[in-house]
Amino acid sequence: MNNQPMTGGDGRYYLLKVAHEQFGRAPGELSSEQLQQASRIVGRQLRIEEAVLRSREASGVVIPPEQVEDAWMQIAGRYEDAEAMQQALADQGLDPVGLRAMLARELKVEAVLERVCASLPEISDTDVSLYYFSHIEQFVRPETRKARHILVTINEDFPENTRSAARTRIETIAQRLQERPERFAEQAMKHSECPTSLQGGLLGEVRAGTLYPELDECLFDLEPGETSDVLESPMGYHLLLCEQVTLATQVALEDVLPRLRDRLQIRQRKARQREWLERLLQQTASVENLAHV
């Protein structure tokens, strides 16, 4: 693989990739604003890639053909079949041979960035502990409420769901539950117009800020076993049942240690790569400026 300046094909490949990753569509389906945004991302990516491949650290890095084939298969998996992929490539002026060459180039960039991090020390238990106790507030499991609800929607197109009729229906259900609160799940299965009716209105373990504000505020004021008054949201009328309260708890260090170590290791690697890239791009810019003097 050589380090010649990139061709238009590289730009078309990255545009195809960015369009799918950022917007979930083909380049030809992007709006003019999305296309401009994608083009800016592509331009920066190409400049970075060129600088990386010309760096001293890129010397001797070789990508095995099987690694390129794995990357090819990952891309192929995004399409319904081989024909759809061929058409997408053709639409961008790409072909399988050219795409594999670009994948190899991209993999080489990733390998160089990995080489830059080779001398980094492993994150120790002490490092993890220091981070944990310095950011203890990040490791709190928030309070949750196990909740059920009953929904009667408002739709003026249907006589049984006009605002007045829906209000009458939900109040009738509320009256039944005042007498027999243990029937909440049964009433949800019979009368709720939410898909959760199949599970007796079960919303599961709910964190604050998950539901509509009108419902959220009420739910987190309820005591375990308590049913709300009739509430209204943009969906319609509701009744809420708080079945159980799980208070906020501090997550122990030993419970987060493996995942936190991985997170800190990734952050350390990204920081090293970012610093190296910034220096590399500054050096590249300085050389280009001297060339124009």
Side-chain angles (χ1 to χ4, degrees):
M1 182 180 302
N2 58 43
N3 289 341
Q4 294 303 312
M6 294 181 211
T7 65
D10 297 83
R12 289 192 293 269
Y13 161 63
Y14 277 117
L15 183 59
L16 180 65
K17 182 178 178 181
V18 169
H20 279 288
E21 290 180 351
Q22 297 289 325
F23 305 104
R25 58 187 64 183
E29 298 170 346
L30 299 180
S31 67
S32 58
E33 183 178 344
Q34 290 171 334
L35 184 59
Q36 288 180 358
Q37 183 179 346
S39 297
R40 286 194 296 270
I41 295 172
V42 169
R44 175 168 173 75
Q45 182 64 34
L46 290 173
R47 288 193 297 274
I48 290 173
E49 186 174 277
E50 182 67 15
V52 169
L53 293 175
R54 289 181 179 275
S55 70
R56 180 181 68 253
E57 288 79 2
S59 177
V61 174
V62 177
I63 304 302
E66 56 269 21
Q67 193 174 345
V68 177
E69 199 59 28
D70 286 344
W72 169 271
M73 294 305 296
Q74 288 181 22
I75 293 176
R78 301 174 190 168
Y79 298 91
E80 293 182 4
D81 50 39
E83 185 177 346
M85 181 178 179
Q86 293 280 5
Q87 185 60 53
L89 293 179
D91 289 344
Q92 289 302 114
L94 298 170
D95 60 76
V97 173
L99 179 56
R100 281 183 169 85
M102 294 170 207
L103 289 174
R105 189 182 184 97
E106 186 177 32
L107 289 167
K108 183 172 182 177
V109 171
E110 294 174 2
V112 174
L113 291 174
E114 288 299 310
R115 174 179 280 190
V116 169
C117 297
S119 61
L120 284 175
E122 290 294 318
I123 297 292
S124 67
D125 286 354
T126 301
D127 296 326
V128 177
S129 297
L130 285 172
Y131 184 92
Y132 174 86
F133 288 109
S134 299
H135 303 82
I136 196 74
E137 71 284 351
Q138 295 181 9
F139 304 98
V140 175
R141 187 175 289 115
E143 177 182 324
T144 61
R145 302 287 174 108
K146 184 180 180 182
R148 295 181 187 269
H149 86 137
I150 295 171
L151 166 67
V152 176
T153 59
I154 299 171
N155 189 334
E156 298 296 337
D157 293 334
F158 298 93
E160 68 274 19
N161 285 93
T162 62
R163 177 172 291 276
S164 174
R167 182 79 191 196
T168 299
R169 289 170 58 198
I170 198 77
E171 287 179 345
T172 300
I173 298 168
Q175 187 174 358
R176 292 193 197 110
L177 292 174
Q178 281 184 350
E179 300 170 1
R180 300 282 300 278
E182 71 277 5
R183 295 179 61 192
F184 195 100
E186 171 203 313
Q187 290 293 297
M189 292 181 71
K190 288 182 177 179
H191 303 292
S192 181
E193 296 173 352
C194 176
T196 59
S197 63
L198 297 174
Q199 291 82 41
L202 184 63
L203 294 171
E205 295 289 337
V206 179
R207 294 186 179 188
T210 303
L211 304 177
Y212 284 109
E214 304 89 336
L215 307 183
D216 195 84
E217 182 179 357
C218 177
L219 175 61
F220 281 81
D221 281 338
L222 294 176
E223 296 295 328
E226 188 177 2
T227 300
S228 72
D229 295 329
V230 174
L231 303 167
E232 184 176 352
S233 81
M235 294 179 68
Y237 293 116
H238 303 255
L239 291 169
L240 283 173
L241 168 65
C242 175
E243 287 195 333
Q244 179 180 312
V245 175
T246 302
L247 298 177
T249 56
Q250 185 72 47
V251 182
L253 173 59
E254 55 266 26
D255 292 335
V256 300
L257 196 147
R259 284 178 289 125
L260 182 54
R261 189 200 314 280
D262 290 343
R263 196 171 101 198
L264 295 178
Q265 197 79 47
I266 291 170
R267 190 174 74 166
Q268 178 182 247
R269 294 169 70 83
K270 286 184 176 179
R272 170 65 64 85
Q273 291 171 352
R274 184 166 56 249
E275 292 169 0
W276 181 78
L277 283 171
E278 287 173 356
R279 290 198 304 271
L280 184 65
L281 292 173
Q282 288 173 358
Q283 293 168 4
T284 301
S286 298
V287 171
E288 290 177 350
N289 290 336
L290 286 175
H292 290 88
V293 173

